Amino acid sequence: MATIRQQIIELLLKQPMTDRDLSQALSIREKEVAENLPYIERSVQSKKKEFIIVPPECLTCGFSFKDGKKLKTPGRCPKCKSERIKRPVFFIK
């Protein structure tokens, strides 16, 4: 049986997913997904693959959180203060 990290990698190789998608697919908490993502990122890089993060985006004003590699969804938009934030999407290619 594959570990949680191996299962997450397999899913991300097939299609882009959010932390919530991964949580539901593997029946684990979103917090557990978030805890594993940094390790998965390093593991994938050592295998000459690329861990890609599509940054979160405000659904109200369109502000994109491109300030780095955020693995979590921000609480609110710094521009319009809305809490309607699209989750980051992860995939491996």
Side-chain angles (χ1 to χ4, degrees), residues 19-87:
D19 55 349
R20 181 171 287 161
D21 297 335
L22 291 165
S23 170
Q24 291 173 351
L26 298 172
S27 300
I28 59 174
R29 296 173 303 150
E30 289 177 33
K31 183 177 180 178
E32 201 172 339
V33 172
E35 290 169 353
N36 283 294
L37 288 175
Y39 300 104
I40 289 169
E41 183 174 15
R42 282 194 298 247
S43 173
V44 168
Q45 287 174 347
S46 71
K47 294 176 182 165
K48 306 294 185 217
K49 296 210 181 274
E50 190 175 0
F51 183 80
I52 299 171
I53 302 170
V54 178
E57 186 176 297
C58 177
L59 294 172
T60 303
C61 72
F63 178 81
S64 183
F65 293 83
K66 294 183 181 179
D67 60 348
K69 292 196 162 202
K70 286 273 190 186
L71 297 176
K72 291 184 178 180
T73 305
R76 72 176 34 178
C77 175
K79 187 174 178 184
C80 73
K81 307 299 183 215
S82 171
E83 294 180 4
R84 295 185 59 230
I85 308 293
K86 180 179 167 189
R87 294 176 172 271

